[in-house]
Amino acid sequence: MNLLHILLMSPPKAGQNPLISFLPIILVVVVFYFFMLRPQMKKQKDAKKLREELKKGDKVITIGGVHGVIVEVADTSFVITTEGGGKLRIEKYAVSTGGDTLGSENK
């Protein structure tokens, strides 16, 4: 039997508020939200904002590790040139970092 079963099966003591017995579960949900869900949602929001602000001439790194410079911007994709002069069309969601977030070695 795990802890959740024990907490749910134990009846409230006489004179005790029934809400008190659910307090540990409520605390677990609140902690889970503030330490797991909320930071992840903020990170996704920041990444989306970064991708929307990218423009022609910005340096980017894809999630696959390809470094390039944006030469064309479309609704859902970018065309980038790589160091060898090749052009690649990538989806916007595939951009990991870009613009000012790149290190000084890439500028």
Side-chain angles (χ1 to χ4, degrees):
M1 228 180 234
N2 62 21
L3 182 61
L4 182 61
H5 288 282
I6 294 170
L7 289 174
L8 292 176
M9 291 174 54
S10 62
K13 296 176 180 64
Q16 184 182 10
N17 187 350
L19 189 60
I20 298 290
S21 63
F22 287 109
L23 189 61
I25 296 171
I26 293 169
L27 287 174
V28 167
V29 170
V30 169
V31 167
F32 182 75
Y33 175 77
F34 280 107
F35 287 106
M36 302 287 266
L37 296 176
R38 191 166 179 236
Q40 184 64 29
M41 290 187 305
K42 185 178 183 324
K43 186 177 178 182
Q44 287 175 346
K45 183 179 169 185
D46 291 344
K48 183 178 179 183
K49 182 180 175 186
L50 169 96
R51 291 180 191 117
E52 290 172 354
E53 293 175 349
L54 289 173
K55 59 192 179 307
K56 185 176 178 179
D58 285 347
K59 295 179 180 181
V60 295
I61 302 174
T62 67
I63 56 177
V66 177
H67 293 241
V69 178
I70 297 175
V71 293
E72 182 184 322
V73 179
D75 289 340
T76 61
S77 63
F78 296 118
V79 174
I80 63 171
T81 58
T82 59
E83 189 175 316
K87 289 186 178 182
L88 300 172
R89 179 171 300 276
I90 60 169
E91 294 296 314
K92 285 187 175 182
Y93 69 82
V95 173
S96 173
T97 58
D100 295 335
T101 60
L102 291 177
S104 60
E105 71 277 358
N106 294 326
K107 291 185 179 180

